[in-house]
Amino acid sequence: MSIPTLERETDLDAAQQPDTPWVTIVWNDPVNLQTYVSYVFRTYFGHPRAEAERLMLLVHNEGRAVVASGGREEMERHVEAMHDFGLWATLTRDGS
Amino acid sequence: MGNADAGWLVRPFEIRGTVIVATLHEVESEMLCQLAGQLAELLGDRARTDRSDSPAGSAAALLAQLGIGGSASAPLDPALARLLPDAYRNDHTAASEHRQLTELGLVDRKIANAEAVVASLTNDPVELTDAIAQSWLRTLTDLRLTLAARLHIEDDGDEGTGDDAMLDVYDWLGYLQGTLLETIEHREVNGEL
């Protein structure tokens, strides 16, 4: 696919802002119940049931899923909240 | 991920009016009480390490008094390491800094949840308000993560090695959590939240 020049420039601008390009990743583990992981995504992130289910299955099948993106401090708060729930989560710079 | 498939017939939770009530047998209640107590002890040991790692009078010690201190490195015990994972996967420095700022708070909240479960079990009936139900969900998770580490359950499909009784307890805790979630959702769907 081709990407219009304008969009590419916008993406570059976003990447240069220190506060934007971070993501929260939830990793699969053999312990947590699928219903629990969905419940956490629904109640903590406020996702509709279908989206929470989709993210849960992504974690289960792919081993990981990006569940949020934004500023670094916000992602650190999300990761800490996931650890409160007992989910295995990390944050990283988007694309790294 | 795990599944809560099991052959138990008696449902451990019911809805009375708008309140969720745990209807555990006495022996089950004692078991959960003991496990949650042990979890609080395990985490309490870590909290003491966190606090004693900070030199007296240092900024870290002051932060620890405010409940926002923490050790610089992940716990060696695999169960504690899973309960308190690194926030950064491939950046040791960032993981260490984040842990020093947040671990003690995380540990204290986990202990508070476990203690809330223990306290709730002394009531008759054992009523689970929304806040107590959250403590139950999180403590049941932390207990299963701890037992899974002891049973070497590391990948999807691992059945666990070691003590059969511990495996039974692990499955039972999963059943408790699964049915508690079903009960919570049933109550939501019926507009009782």
Side-chain angles (χ1 to χ4, degrees):
Chain A
M1 275 183 286
S2 68
I3 302 166
T5 314
L6 183 63
E7 266 188 43
R8 223 182 314 176
E9 280 174 3
T10 312
D11 283 351
L12 279 176
D13 286 344
Q16 281 159 1
Q17 288 174 12
D19 278 350
T20 47
W22 290 83
V23 289
T24 297
I25 298 169
V26 170
W27 300 83
N28 188 42
D29 70 65
V31 179
N32 276 311
L33 305 178
Q34 296 190 5
T35 48
Y36 180 62
V37 176
S38 289
Y39 173 83
V40 170
F41 290 166
R42 193 160 59 79
T43 56
Y44 175 77
F45 290 109
H47 289 311
R49 198 171 286 267
E51 174 65 1
E53 201 84 348
R54 188 188 71 82
L55 287 171
M56 177 279 288
L57 286 173
L58 210 56
V59 173
H60 184 59
N61 295 323
E62 305 295 327
R64 51 176 267 176
V66 171
V67 296
S69 61
R72 183 175 184 172
E73 282 183 18
E74 190 190 354
M75 295 307 107
E76 286 191 335
R77 280 199 301 279
H78 288 332
V79 165
E80 201 177 343
M82 292 300 104
H83 294 174
D84 273 324
F85 280 108
L87 268 56
W88 178 24
T90 58
L91 71 152
T92 188
R93 237 181 236 285
D94 196 7
S96 67
Chain B
M1 286 176 220
N3 67 69
D5 220 13
W8 285 276
L9 292 174
V10 181
R11 293 195 67 82
F13 303 97
E14 59 185 49
I15 300 172
R16 291 185 197 161
T18 59
V19 180
I20 295 172
V21 175
T23 52
L24 302 183
H25 291 293
E26 201 179 324
V27 59
E28 292 176 319
S29 179
E30 277 172 20
M31 170 77 77
L32 183 56
C33 194
Q34 278 190 19
L35 289 168
Q38 286 170 13
L39 176 67
E41 268 179 45
L42 177 74
L43 290 160
D45 287 345
R46 177 67 181 178
R48 274 186 290 283
T49 309
D50 280 350
R51 289 191 164 90
S52 63
D53 271 0
S54 320
S58 67
L62 285 172
L63 287 172
Q65 281 176 13
L66 298 169
I68 50 173
S71 169
S73 50
L76 295 175
D77 176 355
L80 278 175
R82 179 56 189 84
L83 292 173
L84 313 167
D86 279 338
Y88 293 82
R89 194 174 158 95
N90 296 317
D91 185 339
H92 180 73
T93 308
S96 178
E97 284 172 5
H98 185 263
R99 183 175 291 279
Q100 288 177 69
L101 285 175
T102 61
E103 184 183 285
L104 201 47
L106 181 61
V107 169
D108 285 347
R109 289 192 299 277
K110 285 183 184 290
I111 292 173
N113 283 322
E115 287 175 343
V117 169
V118 171
S120 71
L121 287 166
T122 62
N123 297 328
D124 184 24
V126 179
E127 291 189 344
L128 272 57
T129 61
D130 290 349
I132 298 293
Q134 286 301 316
S135 291
W136 273 60
L137 285 177
R138 290 161 197 238
T139 297
L140 288 170
T141 301
D142 288 344
L143 284 173
R144 294 185 77 244
L145 290 171
T146 304
L147 288 185
R150 304 285 182 248
L151 291 163
H152 305 287
I153 296 172
E154 285 153 14
D155 294 301
D156 277 349
D158 282 357
E159 290 182 357
T161 53
D163 191 24
D164 280 351
M166 200 192 278
L167 270 170
D168 285 345
V169 170
Y170 175 76
D171 288 340
W172 172 65
L173 292 168
Y175 175 70
L176 276 188
Q177 192 181 34
T179 47
L180 177 54
L181 279 168
E182 281 171 20
T183 311
I184 289 171
E185 302 214 348
H186 180 78
R187 189 163 152 259
E188 258 179 74
V189 168
N190 288 290
E192 285 161 338
L193 251 180

